[in-house]
DNA sequence: TGCACTCTTTGATTTGTGTCAAGGATCTGT
DNA sequence: ACAGATCCTTGACACAAATCAAAGAGTGCA
């Protein structure tokens, strides 16, 4: 595959966990050696908190495997998920000393971390890194804004349908398929995590999933294994035109 | 004032509308001539739509004066505001051909536009521009995520109090004041725009503003002129610790 | 001065979702 | 096989916010 056609799925294109490379299709610089020197791996078990909002954070990282969530909370415990970290996603903000969100592993997770200061130095030497990070951040911003429409204006049923559609699309793109027709996938989240994602309670999530099942929009095997007989139908329930490509 | 002390309030530090400069405190490159060649001004009246979601967008721009909103809509007309553009804010995404949101002027507005292609070329020649844009985008992402917490988990009363606190803080920082004690400012939005911001109906917005007035949290003169006797009280109503610095 | 228009307030009623509560399903380790 | 956990489902009820409806306030214009 020519470099032009490489889909840069992460900031650091390459084949982690073997090795990260600060080089992408448009960038000739190769900071592989630097990265090898400053990187280290960290493992977390499902349920563990990677970092608390406000804690000092002297690294940036990319997810190698597993799933983590970014959440914000109010003092009385109400919590809202504001981001979902999937393999290849980047976390941490160059130029900020402390974490702005709680980061929690929802499955066992392996993260590839880089000490922040040398990473920032490398960014300055390698301008394309900043451009790639900008692209990724703009994508995240778009996803956040799509999510705001969901939180502010969609009904509980539409919210659930939207979430299912997002997971289905993400799953399809991992398998290099198109999100259409009959689709089968696993939900990587508990009912409670879905509720925190959608600004609902876990009871409402459960009820709406049951309703979608009753109405034949989805089929369920166990609690997590979902079959969508007709993706278009699901998109319709989600209140989206069937193109929209929002994810995190 | 030495360059070091210039507060880079916009991507293009300097004194627009006289002239934009692609130079900031940390950046020695000066692309003034390039910018002068590719820039042009556009004026819109209150209520006019600057660009519709999906339209071809061959420019990027920064707001010189006035206020605009970014909104997303569902097919049946439900709309959610996803961003607020205030003077010095940047709009448009390098590397994308069409607009992702409706941009609507809520007051008369003057925008300084740059043709996109030459702007992108300049970004490549001037790496600090990309870094500055990255910083701004990360700030926007943080604001969007704070907003998600509001949309998903706050009550109507807390939402209104939060919005008032945001406007008060923004106003204070424009006047180089601290947001504390007694504060007086104007609301730049109609009740309907506030509703679209907060994921409420305009009736609920009106009722909650009346309630806050009745309870002495705010005083109102006319519909737009607000006095907050005690900023801490307002912050408390908003469900935030009094530090939190979220704005758009 | 009064009409037309937009924006806002307030009231009555409905409804979607939250809250509280009980019980079911699945899994683990003993 | 059983106890204990965790996660999930379902029901009854309460309540916050939406909806429907009407009227008030402010502004520009004839």
């Amino acid at each position: 595959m020519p470099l032009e056609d490489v889909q840069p799925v992460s900031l650091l294109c390459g084949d982690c966990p073997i090795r990260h490379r600060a080089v992408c299709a448009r960038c000739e610089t190769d900071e592989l050696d630097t990265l090898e020197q400053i990187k280290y791996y960290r493992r977390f078990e499902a349920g563990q908190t990677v970092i608390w909002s406000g804690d000092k954070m002297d690294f940036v990282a990319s997810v190698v495997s597993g799933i983590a969530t970014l959440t914000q909370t109010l003092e009385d415990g109400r919590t809202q998920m504001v981001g979902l970290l999937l393999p290849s996603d980047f976390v941490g903000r160059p130029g900020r000393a402390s974490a702005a969100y709680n980061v929690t592993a929802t499955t066992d997770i392996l993260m590839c971390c880089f000490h922040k200061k040398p990473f920032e130095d490398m960014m300055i030497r390698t301008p394309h890194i900043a451009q790639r990070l900008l692209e990724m951040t703009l994508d995240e911003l778009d996803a956040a804004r799509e999510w705001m429409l969901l939180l502010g204006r969609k009904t509980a049923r539409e919210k659930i349908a939207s979430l299912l559609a997002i997971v289905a699309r993400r799953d399809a793109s991992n398998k290099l398929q198109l999100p259409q027709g009959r689709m089968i996938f696993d939900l990587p989240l508990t009912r409670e995590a879905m509720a925190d994602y959608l600004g609902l309670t876990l009871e409402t999530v459960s009820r709406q999933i049951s309703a979608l099942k009753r109405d034949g929009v989805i089929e369920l095997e166990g609690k997590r294994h979902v079959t969508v007989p007709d993706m278009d139908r699901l998109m319709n329930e989600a209140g989206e035109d069937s193109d929209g490509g929002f994810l995190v």
Side-chain angles (χ1 to χ4, degrees), chain A:
Chain A
M1 191 170 5
L3 259 189
E4 300 299 310
D5 297 336
V6 170
Q7 188 72 356
V9 291
S10 82
L11 168 68
L12 308 160
C13 319
D15 38 6
C16 197
I18 317 308
R19 53 181 201 173
H20 272 289
R21 305 188 68 173
V23 56
C24 60
R26 281 152 297 160
C27 174
E28 316 241 319
T29 320
D30 186 341
E31 293 262 7
L32 178 57
D33 292 342
T34 310
L35 283 168
E36 286 296 326
Q37 283 162 28
I38 67 176
K39 89 177 181 189
Y40 57 101
Y41 291 99
R42 294 182 71 186
R43 242 172 231 295
F44 297 89
E45 287 172 26
Q48 266 191 308
T49 294
V50 175
I51 194 160
W52 294 99
S53 175
D55 281 0
K56 184 158 172 293
M57 184 164 177
D58 52 8
F59 63 95
V60 296
S62 73
V63 177
V64 178
S65 64
I67 294 174
T69 61
L70 307 183
T71 57
Q72 288 203 310
T73 59
L74 294 167
E75 285 123 40
D76 60 6
R78 281 176 284 176
T79 102
Q80 174 66 52
M81 196 188 300
V82 297
L84 195 53
L85 291 177
L86 298 165
S88 90
D89 282 339
F90 186 81
V91 60
R93 174 169 173 169
R96 171 182 289 158
S98 57
Y101 321 104
N102 297 327
V103 181
T104 311
T106 58
T107 66
D108 290 354
I109 190 170
L110 177 63
M111 303 185 75
C112 181
C113 305
F114 303 93
H115 294 289
K116 198 166 72 182
K117 185 63 176 58
F119 188 87
E120 286 170 354
D121 294 344
M122 190 202 65
M123 264 183 63
I124 290 170
R125 287 196 307 276
T126 315
H128 283 124
I129 295 288
Q131 292 197 20
R132 177 74 194 118
L133 249 185
L134 175 58
E135 270 174 40
M136 293 174 66
T137 307
L138 284 165
D139 284 341
E140 275 186 271
L141 187 57
D142 284 342
R145 285 173 163 167
E146 193 80 28
W147 200 335
M148 284 168 59
L149 176 63
L150 177 151
L151 289 172
R153 294 302 186 194
K154 288 190 180 178
T155 64
R157 186 181 174 102
E158 287 169 333
K159 286 179 175 181
I160 296 288
S162 298
L163 176 57
L164 292 171
I166 291 164
V167 174
R169 268 200 294 256
R170 183 97 189 195
D171 189 65
S173 86
N174 281 348
K175 296 180 189 161
L176 303 176
Q177 294 172 352
L178 286 176
Q180 57 185 226
R182 188 178 194 81
M183 306 203 59
I184 302 175
F185 55 91
D186 285 309
L187 276 172
L189 303 170
T190 65
R191 299 289 184 263
E192 187 179 19
M194 286 189 254
D196 285 344
Y197 190 105
L198 301 170
L200 297 171
T201 58
L202 68 92
E203 292 95 331
T204 298
V205 169
S206 179
R207 269 187 257 272
Q208 295 298 334
I209 287 180
S210 298
L212 288 173
K213 190 168 109 187
R214 175 169 40 69
D215 298 344
V217 181
I218 59 172
E219 292 154 21
L220 265 184
E221 193 179 326
K223 292 161 182 175
R224 301 291 190 84
H225 195 71
V226 180
T227 300
V228 176
D230 179 1
M231 196 62 194
D232 283 347
R233 169 94 192 276
L234 182 66
M235 300 292 230
N236 204 44
E237 290 282 353
E240 298 173 41
D241 332 40
S242 49
D243 62 327
F246 122 57
L247 50 74
V248 175

